[in-house]
Amino acid sequence: MDQAEQLRNVIKSKQARSVSKARVITITSGKGGVGKSNIAVNLAVQLRRLGKKVIIFDADMGLANVEVMFGAIPKYNLSDMIYHGKKMRDIITEGPMEIGFISGGNGITGMNNLTKNQLTRLVNNLIELDELTDFILIDTGAGIANNVMEFVSASPEVLLVLTPEPSSLTDSYSLIKALYGNPGFIRHSTKIEVVVNRTVSPEDGQIVYDKLSSVISKFLQGEVQFFGTIPQDILLEKSVRAQKIVSLSAPNARSARAFESLAQSLIDGEPMMEEERLGIRELFFSFFK
């Protein structure tokens, strides 16, 4: 029996598909340095201000961008839950405004070799995670590394972050191309939305999106949707250099207001009823497939 079949049986035995409360959004990029983690934490802050409970899952192995901006070092991570018996609540670090943060650590690299008992522990804790929050934001690594592709392939909703730089555009296209070539990816099951960061004007973001959308349509017969832009902002740059979150340090900044608008769009554009939504458990199920 392969791992996906084992996980399927575990989920059925726990009746884990009954109701998925948390909306799962994966935030990724074709290259590093485009502001992906910064967007994740600022969206979390703005969603929290709008009354939503949020947990960020940091799947960007080797980097600690989220914990640096939160000013909090996790005591435990995903590995401690899978291999050392820690509970879900044990590995959630509390950041500002009671935003939760989970570090993937090295637990992600070993997930393809879990035993049935370890899978059972994982599913049991994912059930609890679904009940703890409204939004789960997954901050992946950049590019087409295996762990990035597996999370993106399994996600029901993806925010693809890029900048107006030509290299960011080509790297984003390469990511989508690799995604479409992934055997586990099902096009109609994933909504990919484009966020253009560091724009000079809203029109600047639209132009970047139009270019990316055109080549994806022409060469991959696929589609992506335009979600919004984050303007170039000196206050955002100062916050990043100070390892702070602009939505907290300068809430009236142009970039902070843009994050607020994107967060509101996420809430307004929520298309699914809870009983129809694919939650974090189903994402991990697809991950193992």
Side-chain angles (χ1 to χ4, degrees), residues 164 196-209 226 229:
V196 185
N197 195 20
R198 301 171 191 158
T199 58
V200 176
S201 68
E203 293 76 18
D204 191 22
Q206 185 69 51
I207 290 170
V208 172
Y209 164 75
F226 186 45
T229 63

Side-chain angles (χ1 to χ4, degrees), residues 119-148:
L119 285 171
T120 301
R121 187 179 305 124
L122 176 62
V123 169
N124 287 339
N125 281 280
L126 291 176
I127 292 171
E128 183 179 5
L129 182 59
D130 247 348
E131 296 171 349
L132 287 174
T133 189
D134 300 307
F135 281 84
I136 299 172
L137 305 182
I138 300 178
D139 181 17
T140 74
I144 56 176
N146 283 340
N147 68 299
V148 175

Side-chain angles (χ1 to χ4, degrees), residues 59-61 108-109 140-141 144-152 287:
D60 193 352
M61 293 179 299
I108 296 172
T109 58
T140 74
I144 56 176
N146 283 340
N147 68 299
V148 175
M149 294 307 301
E150 295 307 324
F151 270 108
V152 176
F287 180 99

Side-chain angles (χ1 to χ4, degrees), residues 27-29 31-38 41 56-70 72-74 77 101-109 139-143 145 147-148 243:
I27 303 173
T28 194
S29 61
K31 62 175 290 186
V34 298
K36 173 177 53 62
S37 297
N38 194 48
V41 296
I56 297 178
F57 179 77
D58 188 359
D60 193 352
M61 293 179 299
L63 298 177
N65 293 333
V66 176
E67 58 192 76
V68 168
M69 284 184 278
F70 274 1
I73 300 176
N77 59 36
F101 165 61
I102 297 173
S103 172
N106 294 325
I108 296 172
T109 58
D139 181 17
T140 74
N147 68 299
V148 175
Q243 298 179 345

